[in-house]
Amino acid sequence: MKNLILFLIFTVFACSCDFNDYPEPRESDQKWVIAGYQEGGISNPSYITVRDSAFVYSLSSDGTFRKSIGKKGISGTYEERLEDGLRKFLFHYESVDAHLIHGCKKDQEEYFLNSQGQLTGTWNACDGAKLYFDKQ
């Protein structure tokens, strides 16, 4: 009987261990920092590189985010989806602060990952600047 109990305890511990040497990476927080932009409303805009910027998107794995531009910030929720072969991010804002939102709608922004892995804005569709962010 004592051996049976020890065997059952050993079995429970053995089954609860993860013997996978290469576990799947957990979804983690993401930080995207502005890398550059193209001016909106002009034909053939050139890419302008931005360095040492405080323009950052901080995405949490729980579906919330915070956008910081210098000392100002705004937050909300985001959804990530695959659409038309592109990985897209849709940011929904809790409050409407027009000078902090860079999208065609007053309370949301849409981004996609381009072929270089940059988070790329779509504000240029309504004459805004096209923003590019690198993952940190």
Side-chain angles (χ1 to χ4, degrees):
M1 183 68 164
K2 191 176 186 181
N3 289 339
L4 179 60
I5 292 172
L6 289 174
F7 176 73
L8 290 175
I9 291 172
F10 174 75
T11 304
V12 168
F13 282 117
C15 291
S16 66
C17 293
D18 183 8
F19 294 106
N20 187 355
D21 290 336
Y22 303 101
E24 289 294 316
R26 289 187 173 177
E27 190 174 328
S28 62
D29 296 343
Q30 300 176 38
K31 182 177 178 182
W32 295 88
V33 177
I34 194 162
Y37 67 94
Q38 290 176 308
E39 290 185 51
I42 61 173
S43 59
N44 299 321
S46 60
Y47 181 86
I48 300 166
T49 302
V50 176
R51 297 189 192 276
D52 300 324
S53 175
F55 190 165
V56 177
Y57 283 87
S58 299
L59 283 59
S60 297
S61 58
D62 67 357
T64 61
F65 76 96
R66 177 154 180 81
K67 176 180 180 178
S68 302
I69 303 175
K71 293 183 180 183
K72 296 185 180 197
I74 190 169
S75 59
T77 59
Y78 74 95
E79 51 186 290
E80 187 177 343
R81 62 180 181 241
L82 190 61
E83 187 177 298
D84 300 326
L86 294 172
R87 191 167 150 207
K88 293 188 177 183
F89 293 79
L90 188 59
F91 297 98
H92 302 277
Y93 290 92
E94 293 172 354
S95 64
V96 178
D97 195 346
H99 69 281
L100 294 178
I101 298 176
H102 301 98
C104 295
K105 296 182 180 178
K106 67 178 184 174
D107 62 347
Q108 70 182 25
E109 297 174 338
E110 187 173 337
Y111 283 81
F112 64 93
L113 285 184
N114 67 17
S115 59
Q116 287 81 33
Q118 291 180 307
L119 191 63
T120 307
T122 60
W123 193 25
N124 60 312
C126 51
D127 292 332
K130 188 169 193 169
L131 305 174
Y132 298 88
F133 292 80
D134 287 334
K135 191 173 184 178
Q136 295 287 302

